[in-house]
Amino acid sequence: RDRPLSGAPLASGPIPAWRMMILRFRLAAILGASVCTSAFTLLEAVSRDGLRLTSPRMMAAPAGLAILFDCDGVLADTERDGHRVSFNRVFEERGFDFEWTVEEYGRMCEVGGGKERMTAYLNGFNGYRTSGWPAGYESPTTESLTKGLPDDPRRLELVRELHARKTALFQAPRARASYQAHP
């Protein structure tokens, strides 16, 4: 019940980097691979203060300390006000003739993953249709998909490129400062 995550007692004070890595892997194994990295960031901050870290069910913490496990959209509407806006900025930068409205993006979220979402949209998912793929990408070597991504190398490269730029925009400090927390 009160066994440290690393399997050995933890000394008070800062935890060495190698032990933090073990803690992160153990926590991910206990809670599942879908745990967000913000939980690890806070776990590291807590460990620097020298708190004893025990199993997640029995983690001892001083009064007033909370560890929040956040994923996109839980604390703030980052899907609507972050990811969607960042996708639209990328589309505008590239000169595409479309923009995802809040309603459209809500429906597009039925497709998991940003790259997969763009692929589905450009292929006409859910009744949405632009003029199709951008110029130069209209005639792929194949129309097939693997796990929602194009098998055509040029289309796959485009989708990855667009997604990387979207992620950079989404993570920019200026963008992050604009996200409003849920009440």
Side-chain angles (χ1 to χ4, degrees):
R1 283 178 40 163
D2 196 31
R3 186 173 53 102
L5 294 175
S6 66
L10 299 176
S12 62
I15 296 174
W18 64 269
R19 184 157 299 189
M20 278 307 302
M21 185 166 52
I22 292 170
L23 289 169
R24 289 175 71 142
F25 285 120
R26 294 283 306 237
L27 186 61
I30 291 167
L31 298 176
S34 65
V35 172
C36 296
T37 57
S38 45
F40 295 129
T41 303
L42 191 49
L43 179 65
E44 288 166 7
V46 168
S47 72
R48 284 192 300 273
D49 294 337
L51 300 173
R52 180 177 169 81
L53 299 177
T54 60
S55 70
R57 288 180 293 260
M58 298 299 292
M59 191 174 286
L65 177 70
I67 296 181
L68 303 176
F69 294 88
D70 179 35
C71 293
D72 283 346
V74 174
L75 298 179
D77 202 342
T78 53
E79 285 295 343
R80 183 192 69 206
D81 301 330
H83 291 287
R84 182 188 66 86
V85 170
S86 298
F87 274 119
N88 284 337
R89 284 191 54 205
V90 171
F91 300 154
E92 182 180 9
E93 287 176 3
R94 294 297 291 260
F96 295 166
D97 66 344
F98 57 88
E99 177 180 303
W100 287 345
T101 65
V102 171
E103 181 184 310
E104 280 178 317
Y105 191 72
R107 288 178 59 193
M108 290 306 303
C109 283
E110 293 174 23
V111 176
K115 294 182 289 289
E116 295 83 354
R117 196 169 294 142
M118 284 186 288
T119 300
Y121 184 81
L122 293 169
N123 283 333
F125 166 82
N126 213 1
Y128 292 115
R129 189 76 179 162
T130 64
S131 53
W133 287 82
Y137 298 90
E138 311 95 323
S139 302
T141 56
T142 178
E143 292 279 347
S144 65
L145 304 175
T146 300
K147 296 186 178 180
L149 296 175
D151 286 336
D152 178 75
R154 292 191 67 242
R155 283 185 172 184
L156 181 59
E157 180 183 344
L158 173 69
V159 167
R160 286 180 172 159
E161 204 176 280
L162 296 173
H163 191 264
R165 176 67 179 138
K166 186 279 304 183
T167 301
L169 290 171
F170 175 77
Q171 292 177 343
R174 190 180 83 194
R176 295 177 80 175
S178 69
Y179 306 147
Q180 297 295 313
H182 289 298

